[in-house]
Structure formats: structure tokens, C-alpha cells
Amino acid sequence: MSQSLQYKEKDIEARLKGKDFLTINDLSTDELLYLLKVADELKHLQKQGIPHEELKGKVLGMIFEKSSTRTRVSFEVAMLQLGGHALFLSSKDIQLGRGETIEDTANVLAGYLDGVMIRTFGHETIERFAQASSIPVINGLTDLHHPAQILADLLTILEHKGYLNGLKAAYFGDGNNVAHSLLEGAAKVGMHFSIACPEGYEPDETILANARETAKVTGAIIEVTTDPEVAVNGADVLITDVWASMGQEEEQKEREGVFEPYQVNEELCIKANEKYIFMHCLPAHRGEEVTAGVIDGPHSVVYQEAENRLHAQKALLKILLKN
Ligand code: CP
Ligand code: NVA
């Protein structure tokens, strides 16, 4: 590695150390690509059984106000493999769930912990928490963003395609938290990102406008359409997510009707690039947003995508929490 590249990497590490990670937009393009590089290195070390206990003695608190399988387990295992420890803190069990303020909780926890990961509802909750906290705060999903997921998604795409800039990714369904973080990620790395969603379920206007600003610099193409055929045309990566997110359970039936034309099925996939990969952050509902034939078929990379949560988050934790 050239000396100037080494310096650049040291600069990036110094810039990110101690910072929060609330959205993909918190990262510059070079910081995002560097995180993916570190994730790939850590993945190789882990696969070869080479210890990499860079966070020995560090403790991450994990506050969950919503259910989780992947986020909870992958963050906990990530800390363990880095030589540290993670504490699961259900909001039902801590005083936050009984009305203790976000600010008091954040200040108190900063006295014990080296970082906090939070899964919550309103994005403003995590912003308030981060504002009050003197230690790094990591977004483990809010109603508006799911940035840790998108680190894993970009790593997975990179592993399959070898590059990101110029690829076409298509997303079908709800303009939700996953769609927002994908929009930001695709814009940062210069992808062509086409999102097909029904009228009234488009992504947030501000997030979309920001992604379009970023795209002017990176060469990304950001497209929003109501027509799944437009989005799928020649796409290298097909992505979908549940039609009703956590907190929207009562809208499930209504949403099933609205989103039906956006199902990722065999007929739609024929129009993608023949080497397309299919991705879904999981949990999935077979027969709703995706058919079993597609998600369990040869183009699906969903289990690798889920595993990559571990490797991508290890890179994030290593850089944010390191001494
Ligand atoms: N993809 C994801 O965040 O999964 P969990 O809800 O299981 O954490
Ligand atoms: N959009 C989904 C993602 C789950 C990981 C939700 O918020 O429920």
C-alpha cells in the first residue's frame, strides 16, 4: 500500500473515532468505502480463525424498543469477536420504558459504556439520545433509517459484483427506513438506484432531495417510479422489504392490497440483468413482497447479506469505539 493511501486511511479513522452513526449520510464516500474495506479484512480474519480483539474490555449497550433477530445477535457477536462485551437492554426492562428521560438515560449510560446501539421508533429519539451522549451512538433501526443494514448490503453487492459505482439496483415496495438508507448509500457510491413504489408510499422528500444532491457529485442516478417494470429493467441487484414495517401492523391488510403489483416474482425478475442478485434485509414474508421461488432461488443472497451484518458492524464498532 502506498504511503499516501496509508495516511488517508489514518485520517479517516481519526475522523470517525468517537462519532455517532445515525444515518448513511453521516459518512463521506471515502469513509463509507473504507468501512467496507475494513469489513472485508475482518471477515477474512474471522474466517481464517485469526484473533482480532481490537476492542478488548469495551462494552456496548444495546437498547431495543422493537423486536430483532439479526441486529441483536450480530452486534452482540461482533463485540464478542472484537474482544469486548455487549449488554442487551430491552426498553421494557430499563427505566426508559417507565418514563425516565432520554437525556438522563444517555448521560447515565455514558458513565458505564463505550458505545450504545439503539433500535427505536421516531428518528428524533435517537437524535436526542446522541445529542445528550458523550459516547458513540449507533442506529440499529428507526422508523426513518436503517444504516447498519445498508453497510452489510453494500458489502454483499461488492462481494458479488466486485464494484459498486455504475451498477443498477432496483428496490420495490415501501419507501421506508430500508429504502431511505439504500437511497443514501447508492447516492454515496455512485450507483443507479431505481425505486418503484405506489403513489403515497414514496420515500421521504428531504432524504430524496439530499440523495439527488449527493448524486450530482458521485454520478449516481436516483429514480423514483410507480412502475416496477421501469425499475427492474436491466437491474443488477433487486431488493425488497416488508410491506408493513414494525409499528404498522394494523395497516397490514390495507397494505397487502396497495403493494401487490410490487411483488418481486419470477415474471418480474426475467426483465433484470440475467446475473442479478436478489436481496432482502429479512425478516421476509414469502408470498407477499417476494415469492418463495425468488427468495429461495439461485439468485438470492439473503443469508450472506444477513451474515454480512456481523462483518460490517465489526468494522463500524472497531473504528468508532477504538481508543
Ligand atoms: N434486518 C434486520 O434488521 O433484522 P432484525 O429485525 O432481525 O434485526
Ligand atoms: N422495514 C422493516 C425492516 C426490518 C428489519 C421494519 O422497519 O420493520
Side-chain angles (χ1 to χ4, degrees):
M1 191 196 306
S2 80
Q3 219 173 25
S4 64
L5 257 181
Q6 251 176 348
Y7 283 135
K8 205 174 162 219
E9 295 187 350
K10 288 258 168 294
D11 278 355
I12 293 175
E13 290 201 9
R15 271 203 313 262
L16 290 178
K17 196 181 124 184
K19 277 189 87 177
D20 302 320
F21 178 63
L22 305 190
T23 71
I24 289 286
N25 259 0
D26 292 355
L27 302 170
S28 63
T29 298
D30 61 348
E31 289 165 355
L32 177 54
L33 296 176
Y34 180 61
L35 270 171
L36 299 178
K37 176 174 174 269
V38 174
D40 178 61
E41 288 165 3
L42 289 169
K43 183 168 180 174
H44 281 98
L45 290 178
Q46 192 244 323
K47 297 284 177 205
Q48 287 159 24
I50 301 168
H52 42 282
E53 300 196 333
E54 314 250 358
L55 295 183
K56 222 176 170 67
K58 302 271 185 189
V59 184
L60 178 78
M62 308 191 298
I63 300 177
F64 282 91
E65 297 200 298
K66 292 176 175 171
S67 305
S68 170
T69 298
R70 281 143 288 267
T71 304
R72 176 177 173 177
V73 177
S74 59
F75 267 104
E76 183 160 341
V77 173
M79 283 305 289
L80 194 77
Q81 290 184 2
L82 289 168
H85 186 76
L87 289 175
F88 172 70
L89 304 167
S90 163
S91 62
K92 288 192 202 89
D93 303 326
I94 61 173
Q95 300 286 10
L96 188 66
R98 293 183 58 251
E100 184 164 18
T101 68
I102 292 167
E103 287 74 15
D104 282 350
T105 308
N107 274 297
V108 169
L109 290 180
Y112 309 133
L113 302 169
D114 301 287
V116 185
M117 186 240 88
I118 307 178
R119 168 167 287 194
T120 188
F121 291 87
H123 192 70
E124 60 286 355
T125 301
I126 200 168
E127 287 178 335
R128 270 179 64 192
F129 198 103
Q131 187 69 32
S133 178
S134 58
I135 56 173
V137 175
I138 296 171
N139 186 347
L141 181 146
T142 63
D143 289 346
L144 212 55
H145 294 274
H146 196 4
Q149 178 68 51
I150 275 43
L151 293 181
D153 289 6
L154 293 175
L155 180 63
T156 310
I157 298 170
L158 207 47
E159 288 175 342
H160 279 274
K161 302 293 176 189
Y163 64 101
L164 297 170
N165 189 293
L167 281 176
K168 179 175 180 184
Y171 174 94
F172 307 88
D174 191 17
N176 63 11
N177 43 12
V178 169
H180 292 150
S181 292
L182 278 169
L183 259 174
E184 293 189 348
K188 289 272 173 190
V189 301
M191 287 171 87
H192 176 177
F193 187 66
S194 188
I195 166 163
C197 47
E199 234 170 84
Y201 295 87
E202 295 90 353
D204 177 86
E205 274 179 23
T206 310
I207 293 172
L208 189 58
N210 281 337
R212 289 201 159 120
E213 278 305 304
T214 307
K216 285 183 194 160
V217 181
T218 62
I221 302 168
I222 304 294
E223 186 175 39
V224 181
T225 172
T226 51
D227 187 353
E229 305 254 330
V230 170
V232 76
N233 187 22
D236 304 290
V237 183
L238 308 190
I239 312 171
T240 188
D241 187 17
V242 290
W243 290 340
S245 285
M246 289 180 277
Q248 298 172 331
E249 289 76 7
E250 73 290 349
E251 295 174 35
Q252 175 68 32
K253 275 279 151 274
E254 179 195 335
R255 283 172 172 259
E256 279 174 24
V258 174
F259 285 104
E260 205 214 283
Y262 296 83
Q263 184 189 63
V264 179
N265 52 36
E266 289 79 346
E267 208 188 320
L268 185 77
C269 291
I270 289 170
K271 291 152 193 149
N273 181 311
E274 61 179 20
K275 292 195 173 136
Y276 78 89
I277 55 171
F278 171 76
M279 299 178 71
H280 189 311
C281 67
L282 305 178
H285 294 149
R286 287 167 175 77
E288 291 181 30
E289 73 273 10
V290 61
T291 56
V294 171
I295 195 169
D296 300 321
H299 293 267
S300 175
V301 299
V302 296
Y303 298 135
Q304 182 182 345
E305 178 185 4
E307 182 191 318
N308 279 339
R309 293 291 301 276
L310 170 68
H311 308 297
Q313 287 157 198
K314 279 169 74 178
L316 184 69
L317 291 164
K318 178 189 148 176
I319 292 171
L320 300 186
L321 268 56
K322 211 166 169 197
N323 278 332

